[in-house]
Amino acid sequence: MTFVVTEPCIKCTYKHCIDPCPVDCFREGPDFLVIDPEMCIDCNVCATECPVKAIYQDKEVPEDQLEFIEINRRLAPVYQPATNIKVDSAEKDEWASVQDKRHLLQLPEPM
Ligand code: SF4
């Protein structure tokens, strides 16, 4: 099993989840974080740290967020290892409350 980052993280990326992860499995792109499913040890530490509740165990992902299981799997090899450099900005706070933003996520071509 793995944990999965879902839509609330897009353009929010507060990064509270990164440091507590014991196996450094977060990856980051321009506006989103993902979890590498090949590395996650299913410990649940990150999900409790996320202030926007974007992280779920794969078996608990809400139905309207199920596509993010595949999105995490596809983006993990493309994104870079996540840094813990946090940017406190009003823009992030605004995006934290936006519900519908998956259309803003740039995805690689289907494999
Ligand atoms: Fe890392 Fe644990 Fe979260 Fe998996 S569940 S991403 S191992 S903190």
Side-chain angles (χ1 to χ4, degrees), residues 29-30 32 34 67 70-79 102 104-111:
F32 190 47
V34 297
E67 69 178 302
E70 177 66 10
I71 288 172
N72 278 240
R73 190 191 68 77
R74 282 176 60 195
L75 290 177
V78 179
Y79 279 6
R102 70 184 70 183
L104 301 172
L105 191 60
Q106 294 184 356
L107 297 173
E109 295 296 319
M111 291 187 278

Side-chain angles (χ1 to χ4, degrees), residues 3 17 20-23 25-26 35 39-47:
F3 276 64
C17 52
C21 178
V23 291
C25 54
F26 279 88
I35 291 169
M39 295 180 65
C40 178
I41 58 171
D42 201 36
C43 72
N44 192 34
V45 170
C46 57

Side-chain angles (χ1 to χ4, degrees), residues 28-103:
E28 72 178 311
D31 295 314
F32 190 47
L33 302 173
V34 297
I35 291 169
D36 184 338
E38 302 296 326
M39 295 180 65
C40 178
I41 58 171
D42 201 36
C43 72
N44 192 34
V45 170
C46 57
T48 60
E49 295 289 332
C50 179
V52 295
K53 306 210 179 310
I55 304 175
Y56 297 87
Q57 191 182 45
D58 53 3
K59 288 186 171 178
E60 305 288 333
V61 174
E63 197 168 325
D64 69 345
Q65 299 289 307
L66 285 173
E67 69 178 302
F68 281 88
I69 297 173
E70 177 66 10
I71 288 172
N72 278 240
R73 190 191 68 77
R74 282 176 60 195
L75 290 177
V78 179
Y79 279 6
Q80 299 297 311
T83 68
N84 62 1
I85 300 169
K86 298 179 179 68
V87 180
D88 289 323
S89 72
E91 186 180 342
K92 286 187 180 294
D93 293 343
E94 284 181 23
W95 281 110
S97 61
V98 176
Q99 301 292 315
D100 181 14
K101 48 188 175 177
R102 70 184 70 183
H103 59 286

